[in-house]
Amino acid sequence: METQELLNKIENALTEIRPFLKADGGDISLVSVEENVVKVKLMGACIDCSVNQMTLKNGVEATIKKYAPHITEVINIA
């Protein structure tokens, strides 16, 4: 898959999940894509949230995989 096409798909996924994060006072940004691993940065209230790993796996990673099924993992970069 072309890099720009993949980045667009990931950004679309983040756009879909972002309102849920913002509702809790947080946000997310794409840092990089290396191999099939997406690196993101949780911001705002999401940084200290006790459920941020669950949000990352069940919300963010699941949404990204819906747009780009070959992605194997989503990692939060502090």
Side-chain angles (χ1 to χ4, degrees):
M1 179 179 294
E2 183 189 326
T3 303
Q4 190 57 50
E5 181 184 355
L6 176 60
L7 292 176
N8 289 345
K9 287 183 177 198
I10 293 169
E11 285 295 346
N12 287 339
L14 296 181
T15 298
E16 181 178 319
I17 196 88
R18 191 168 276 121
F20 299 100
L21 299 174
K22 287 191 174 206
D24 288 334
D27 203 353
I28 191 167
S29 66
L30 176 62
V31 175
S32 67
V33 180
E34 298 169 19
E35 309 273 318
N36 290 328
V37 176
V38 175
K39 295 182 180 179
V40 297
K41 182 173 178 78
L42 291 171
M43 299 177 287
C46 291
I47 294 171
D48 298 320
C49 179
S50 61
V51 296
N52 74 6
Q53 284 306 307
M54 188 175 73
T55 298
L56 188 67
K57 293 294 175 193
N58 295 341
V60 177
E61 186 172 292
T63 304
I64 287 174
K65 285 181 176 180
K66 184 172 74 175
Y67 284 82
H70 67 283
I71 294 299
T72 56
E73 188 176 17
V74 177
I75 300 172
N76 179 44
I77 304 298

